[in-house]
Amino acid sequence: MISNIPKWMIGLFGNKLAPNVKVISTIFLSPQVKKISFRGDISEWDFTIGYASVIRVSETEFRNYTISYHDKENGVFEIIFHIHGNGTGSKFVDSLKVSDELFISPPRGKKLYETNKQQFFSGDETSLGVACAWLPLLKKNQQQFQFYFELDEINKNVPECLGLENYTVFPKNNSFRNEKWISTLPLFQSQQWKTANIALVGNVRSVQAFRKVLKDKKLGTIYSQGYWLEGKKGL
Ligand SMILES: Cc1cc2nc3c(=O)[nH]c(=O)nc-3n(C[C@H](O)[C@H](O)[C@H](O)COP(=O)(O)OP(=O)(O)OC[C@H]3O[C@@H](n4cnc5c(N)ncnc54)[C@H](O)[C@@H]3O)c2cc1C
């Protein structure tokens, strides 16, 4: 779905983009990371790992976000938002409070998951949600896994608050864009990870740098999706 739809076209969708879910709780896990629980009819939704929902963040704008937890029976789901303060989506989500109603689409998109393989994952604040959704599956399938997060100092404790496991937090200091630095990471020297499934999400430039190094080293099966790019509205 495109991130901006002209006003005249919105009318063509009729009631399809009207509010369909309600906020039932909100919590800030750090000054920049907000977890929100919603209630709605999610009985037909597909929660494949990697899929994302679009949220209507203004009359004409839509942004992608990942459902981090769902409970179909009770019609409840959660999303972990990076409140970076630069865009319409971030400001809209920052303002959301209990009882607000909004439009969230069923998840769709690109699958990141492969069962029965070792799993390496890298991302940033925007990727905490997909990591949370993934963790129970990785554990259920008894897969070996490792999460790498590049996070601002202020968010470095969020993975712990979320109960994530097997993660390493790196400071957001451009290391994830430095191919030389990435290629020296001990994990990528080990033969053990040569056939792993590799999921790269988060900032586009970081995804590109990791992808290049891993391709050059002929490591793993790579699944990648950039979630945001400096200067670009909605991806
Ligand atoms: C498949 C998919 C799943 C995603 N899942 C999540 C999720 O679960 N949680 C989440 O928080 N985000 C998620 N994102 C990322 C989110 O859609 C983008 O960050 C989006 O750009 C936010 O919209 P905005 O209106 O706040 O900013 P925009 O209007 O899109 O951008 C305005 C400015 O803000 C900058 N910007 C955008 N995002 C960030 C950021 N994270 N940090 C710093 N600057 C930024 C842009 O580069 C631009 O300069 C996902 C994206 C995709 C494609």
Side-chain angles (χ1 to χ4, degrees), residues 134-163:
W134 210 332
L135 180 69
L137 280 174
L138 292 165
K139 289 174 73 169
K140 189 174 140 215
N141 294 330
Q142 299 185 329
Q143 287 173 263
Q144 190 184 356
F145 62 95
Q146 179 69 50
F147 294 117
Y148 275 13
F149 294 111
E150 58 165 345
L151 300 179
D152 277 319
E153 174 72 18
I154 203 164
N155 304 320
K156 69 176 183 200
N157 295 324
V158 176
E160 193 184 348
C161 297
L162 289 167

Side-chain angles (χ1 to χ4, degrees), residues 185-199:
L185 283 166
L187 201 66
F188 301 148
Q189 317 311 318
S190 155
Q191 291 295 316
Q192 222 191 342
W193 288 83
K194 284 235 184 270
T195 54
N197 184 59
I198 293 178

